[in-house]
Amino acid sequence: MRRLGFLLFGGLLSSLSFFILLFGGLSCSKVSAEESPKFAWMISSFSTPAGIAVDSSGNIYVSDYHNNCIQKFTPQGDLMHTWGSFGPGDGQFSSPSGIAVDNSDNIYVIDSGNYRIQKFTSDGNFIETWGNFGSEDGQFSCPVGIAVDGSGNVYVTDADSFVQKFSSGGNFITKWGSRGTGSGQFFTPSGIAVDRSGNVYVADSGNHRIQKFSQNGDYITKWGGKGSRIGQFYCPIGIAVDGSGNIYVADGFNHRVQEFTPDKSFITKWGSEGSGNGQFSLVDEIAVDNSGNIYVTETDNHRIQKFISTEINSDGDGGGDGGGCFIAALAQAFNR
């Protein structure tokens, strides 16, 4: 998110053009980068897929950063709807990045260039907006990640090193964080996720760690540190939580995904650097649907890949393919 550098460490993105959308119904066998799964495919238009979210029906929403729009797909990858254009008006965007869905399937979009949050119905009808540029409560200087809890409260990370919490209607509730390396402090926070108990997880990208808070911002715990070993991170960006409370981290420059239990015990990891199926080049955003399917966006490969989780524990250092069953890819981009 940020998305993508958008906000992080001096711009992580490159310009792209159009994408081929590849989805396939594969069996749950482990797939290496050299294998060629069978695909059903269609063509879609992206220019930097940034945020990703999934609704209660499994429909997929992608914020298209450079095309200034939101694209909605069926669980099979068929394009359903697109909305948005460049501008400051209601329903327009300037570099949309983070995206989230609430229990009523309303869509929340970080309109990063306009320093605001916009809320839509699942069909893209505008509902409301809030925020503007600034450092006061309810304002944003660099909004990055967004998540919604079971009560409809909205959490937004700001690369200025704090988190803000709002009601579903955009009323400011609280904020926490400051720049630093201590517990509860941040250095360029990015992805954010909330579990069913209301615990809030933040990818503290610049500090190469994950931090966990109560829904009111009280610090609970943290884990990580810079590196490529199990449980370490190199610029974690996206984060998601499944229905069982397991945590998935898009481990950016380690080009992999790591999965942890709610008590931060390591479960599995998958991915390695590359452009093949199941490989990554700067893994970015991540989302999990109600069936446990995992969706990952990549900055440098300009695509989205879909996986299902496997309960395979692995040992050793970073890299490799410890888990994850490759299902589909939204694939190849061509630079103009």
Side-chain angles (χ1 to χ4, degrees), residues 24-232:
L26 306 181
S27 62
C28 184
S29 58
K30 219 164 124 181
V31 178
S32 72
E34 290 75 33
E35 293 174 346
S36 299
K38 296 179 181 179
F39 293 105
W41 60 270
M42 59 166 284
I43 295 177
S44 182
S45 297
F46 289 111
S47 186
T48 309
I52 187 166
V54 187
D55 69 19
S56 61
S57 299
N59 298 311
I60 304 151
Y61 300 81
V62 179
S63 52
D64 197 345
Y65 189 82
H66 284 130
N67 279 329
N68 296 295
C69 68
I70 305 301
Q71 296 201 52
K72 178 180 179 180
F73 299 89
T74 67
Q76 294 74 38
D78 299 316
L79 180 65
M80 298 176 67
H81 184 48
T82 299
W83 73 88
S85 61
F86 177 75
D90 294 343
Q92 294 185 306
F93 303 104
S94 177
S95 304
S97 53
I99 190 168
V101 181
D102 67 19
N103 287 340
S104 299
D105 288 341
N106 295 308
I107 314 301
Y108 299 79
V109 180
I110 290 184
D111 187 6
S112 59
N114 286 320
Y115 306 100
R116 65 183 180 181
I117 306 301
Q118 293 199 68
K119 181 179 179 180
F120 302 88
T121 67
S122 59
D123 293 325
N125 296 312
F126 174 81
I127 298 176
E128 60 187 329
T129 185
W130 70 87
N132 53 44
F133 180 78
S135 59
E136 300 299 319
D137 294 347
Q139 294 184 311
F140 305 105
S141 62
C142 192
V144 182
I146 189 167
V148 185
D149 68 20
S151 299
N153 298 307
V154 181
Y155 302 79
V156 180
T157 58
D158 197 296
D160 244 3
S161 298
F162 58 89
V163 175
Q164 295 193 75
K165 179 181 179 180
F166 302 89
S167 71
S168 60
N171 296 313
F172 175 82
I173 297 175
T174 189
K175 71 193 256 187
W176 69 89
S178 60
R179 188 181 180 90
T181 59
S183 298
Q185 294 185 306
F186 304 107
F187 180 36
T188 319
S190 54
I192 188 166
V194 186
D195 67 19
R196 290 182 175 178
S197 298
N199 298 305
V200 181
Y201 298 84
V202 179
D204 188 4
S205 302
N207 285 323
H208 311 287
R209 65 186 181 184
I210 304 302
Q211 295 199 66
K212 179 180 179 179
F213 302 87
S214 74
Q215 58 188 343
N216 297 317
D218 300 314
Y219 171 80
I220 298 175
T221 190
K222 65 180 182 286
W223 72 95
K226 187 176 181 180
S228 60
R229 297 176 66 88
I230 284 174
Q232 293 182 318

